Amino acid sequence: MLAGCATAELATAPASPGQPWQPNVSAGGALLPGRPGRRPGLSLPPGYTLPSDPSVVTHGTSRTLEAHPGQVYTLAELIDVAQSANPQTRRAWNTARDAALAVGIVKSTYLPYLTATVVGGWSHSQSRTTNASLDAGSYGALDIDGTPQRHNDGSAEVQTIGLRWLLFDFGRREALVRTAREAQLATNVLFTAAHQKVIYSVTTAFYAHAAAATRARLLRGALDNAQRVQAAAEMRLRQGQGTIVDVTQARQATAQVTLRLVQAQGEDENTYLTLLTAAGVSADARVGLEDVSGRALTMEDARLSGEMVRRAVARRPDVLAAYAAARSAHHRVTAARAAFLPSIFMTGNVAYATGRTNLTSIPGAGADSAPTLNLSGNRFSTLILGGISVPIFDGGLRAAMVKRAQDQEDSAEATLRQTVNDSVQQIVAAENALHTSLSAYDAASKLRVASQTSFDASFAAYRNGTGSVTQAELARNGLLDADISRSDAYYAALIAAAGLGFSTGSLG
């Protein structure tokens, strides 16, 4: 019956692969471990829908961004909120603290290890014997057949302080400390990298939302232009100068712009939610954001020299972390090789025993038989030992550990080389993206001026009866596309500038 206790827990798992699992739910709706109980609670219908646990939302809700009347959040303010609210920075911080504690744990092996132990107890024994020479206890009453009974009662206590101290191990602990310190350096670097990633993600989300909001604003302006063309077509039809075909085309163009506006408004809302998620705050917040549409862009074609690229690579967090990981792997090889060398240690204890107790067992009854313990009177003892431990044979365990450490070192060095190469590629690609976006913005600005002139002329000509509605609609579409292209190129340049700062490790 006792052997079936472990398999009895199968009752808490799904009964079969084709049937839904019935969870254990409290009266408040929280999921509980174990099999479904008979306590009063929610009765779930059979199916694959899980209950709603209110405690999940209570413990997992992000902070809410405060919004005061008339307040707008700048990009810098959102970044400041994200650096404290985003879960990525907190996880990186905890990882860095754990790495620092790992260094302390390894350094503690240089110190002696002391233990204090107190053992106390009481014993009672009762026996019958017909040989008085084997009796050592006190005799009580006689049995019916006259056999004397022996009773033995006693209590005892043992107090011990033990010492274990590894004095010298030919540099193994020193190599382990260096390994831990390099690993800690890598985690500290990655903590900075986590902040840079949060800064970059918030920056790109901020500009992406600004681009979506501007696109929606431009489409609202384009809708006004389409409605103006439609009104002119309807007026010309009423005056007998236009045709129903012109009115139909104008209404079709207005409907198309309306559809694009609805899609742009949905994208505006989605990018807003993405921005709040990047900041690590609740998506329920509604706050005002800074308008950055009027920022002047520098059109100078600046290029990074080879020396600037090398300096940028040398300060990237991922490169620095990979370099620290490679050094940590090198020290790990040293520590593995030191395991072949002797160790000098010291051990000892101070013990004090008092009392009177007996614990007997039958010698040779089996491997589980306890030794005989007899404590009588008081005794104080001190033991100090020193020795040297020389490893001789372990079935190839240490050799395998060295080989594994060497493989890890080779992989770490390969990762460093790949990280450096990828970093150079990312920096050059980010530089090209910035150059392309600035050129696109310049070209789109010129196209926008020409498109505005074309629309004004085409619309005026159509309204005066010398042009066609087709030309006016083509000009209006051209103006809308030019406006959106110029806006997208503008925000693409801002995102590319942030990408160049991030790829060079200088985004702060």
Side-chain angles (χ1 to χ4, degrees):
M1 182 170 54
L2 294 178
C5 291
T7 56
E9 289 300 320
L10 286 174
T12 62
S16 71
Q19 295 180 358
W21 167 61
Q22 291 298 317
N24 185 19
V25 184
S26 68
L31 290 176
L32 300 176
R35 70 180 65 187
R38 299 183 179 275
R39 66 175 66 88
L42 295 180
S43 178
L44 297 178
Y48 293 95
T49 301
L50 294 175
S52 178
D53 192 343
S55 60
V56 175
V57 180
T58 302
H59 290 84
T61 302
S62 302
R63 60 173 288 189
T64 301
L65 201 61
E66 298 180 358
H68 302 286
Q71 179 186 4
V72 295
Y73 277 87
T74 64
L75 175 58
E77 290 172 340
L78 288 177
I79 290 174
D80 183 63
V81 171
Q83 287 180 311
S84 59
N86 194 296
Q88 297 181 17
T89 58
R90 179 162 292 275
R91 287 195 296 265
W93 179 61
N94 289 329
T95 302
R97 287 169 56 86
D98 291 343
L101 293 175
V103 176
I105 291 173
V106 177
K107 290 177 63 178
S108 67
T109 58
Y110 281 95
L111 302 177
Y113 185 71
L114 299 175
T115 57
T117 306
V118 177
V119 178
W122 172 82
S123 68
H124 169 75
S125 63
Q126 179 178 347
S127 62
R128 298 177 58 198
T129 180
T130 57
N131 189 350
S133 63
L134 298 178
D135 296 337
S138 59
Y139 291 94
L142 299 177
D143 286 345
I144 297 177
D145 57 1
T147 303
Q149 297 181 357
R150 182 173 63 88
H151 299 278
N152 195 343
D153 297 314
S155 61
E157 180 180 300
V158 179
Q159 304 164 2
T160 306
I161 296 179
L163 167 69
R164 240 181 19 250
W165 195 357
L166 180 60
L167 299 178
F168 188 69
D169 60 358
F170 291 91
R172 185 171 184 269
R173 287 174 297 178
E174 180 182 359
L176 292 176
V177 169
R178 291 181 178 179
T179 300
R181 285 199 178 279
E182 295 293 347
Q184 181 202 8
L185 175 61
T187 56
N188 290 340
V189 170
L190 292 177
F191 171 74
T192 302
H195 276 273
Q196 290 188 1
K197 289 180 180 178
V198 168
I199 293 173
Y200 180 63
S201 62
V202 174
T203 301
T204 54
F206 183 86
Y207 289 144
H209 171 65
T214 303
R215 193 178 300 114
R217 177 175 56 81
L218 292 175
L219 283 168
R220 283 191 291 268
L223 181 60
D224 293 337
N225 291 335
Q227 291 173 346
R228 288 170 58 195
V229 175
Q230 178 181 340
E234 292 172 348
M235 182 186 64
R236 284 171 55 85
L237 180 62
R238 288 193 300 268
Q239 295 175 352
Q241 299 175 354
T243 64
I244 190 62
V245 176
D246 293 344
V247 175
T248 304
Q249 289 181 354
R251 291 175 179 175
Q252 179 185 6
T254 303
Q256 290 175 344
V257 176
T258 303
L259 175 60
R260 294 182 63 181
L261 176 59
V262 172
Q263 294 172 340
Q265 289 173 342
E267 183 66 18
D268 182 12
E269 184 66 22
N270 292 336
T271 54
Y272 176 78
L273 297 178
T274 301
L275 174 60
L276 294 183
T277 302
V281 298
S282 175
D284 297 334
R286 304 302 305 182
V287 297
L289 299 174
E290 178 190 15
D291 183 11
V292 293
S293 59
R295 182 177 301 176
L297 299 183
T298 301
M299 303 307 298
E300 298 178 359
D301 187 12
R303 290 289 185 176
L304 299 178
S305 64
E307 180 61 26
M308 296 172 65
V309 172
R310 284 190 292 271
R311 289 202 305 267
V313 170
R315 67 165 172 261
R316 279 177 56 113
D318 55 347
V319 175
L320 294 175
Y323 183 52
R327 295 200 304 264
S328 177
H330 174 72
H331 294 307
R332 196 178 299 117
V333 174
T334 303
R337 287 173 175 169
F340 285 90
L341 302 176
S343 298
I344 300 176
F345 64 91
M346 182 177 68
T347 184
N349 64 70
V350 177
Y352 178 74
T354 180
R356 176 176 176 272
T357 185
N358 296 314
L359 178 63
T360 61
S361 66
I362 301 176
D368 296 333
S369 298
T372 300
L373 173 64
N374 296 301
L375 299 175
S376 301
N378 302 328
R379 186 175 64 178
F380 178 83
S381 63
T382 302
L383 174 66
I384 300 295
L385 298 175
I388 180 171
S389 174
V390 181
I392 298 177
F393 179 75
D394 58 2
L397 175 62
R398 287 167 298 165
M401 296 294 290
V402 171
K403 181 59 179 176
R404 186 177 69 171
Q406 290 174 342
D407 293 340
Q408 293 174 349
E409 180 186 20
D410 183 69
S411 298
E413 292 177 352
T415 301
L416 175 60
R417 291 192 298 270
Q418 181 180 1
T419 305
V420 171
N421 294 334
D422 293 344
S423 299
V424 175
Q425 178 185 1
Q426 293 172 8
I427 292 174
V428 175
E431 182 185 20
N432 292 334
L434 179 58
H435 172 73
T436 302
S437 59
L438 289 175
S439 300
Y441 176 73
D442 182 60
S445 299
K446 297 176 182 178
L447 176 62
R448 197 267 174 197
V449 174
S451 299
Q452 182 68 56
T453 304
S454 175
F455 172 73
D456 293 340
S458 300
F459 179 67
Y462 175 68
R463 189 171 53 183
N464 295 330
T466 58
S468 66
V469 67
T470 303
Q471 293 177 343
E473 290 296 348
L474 289 175
R476 184 196 57 77
N477 289 332
L479 176 60
L480 175 60
D481 292 339
D483 283 335
I484 293 179
S485 297
R486 181 177 181 271
S487 174
D488 290 346
Y490 171 80
Y491 289 106
L494 297 180
I495 293 176
L500 182 59
F502 179 70
S503 63
T504 56
S506 59
L507 189 63

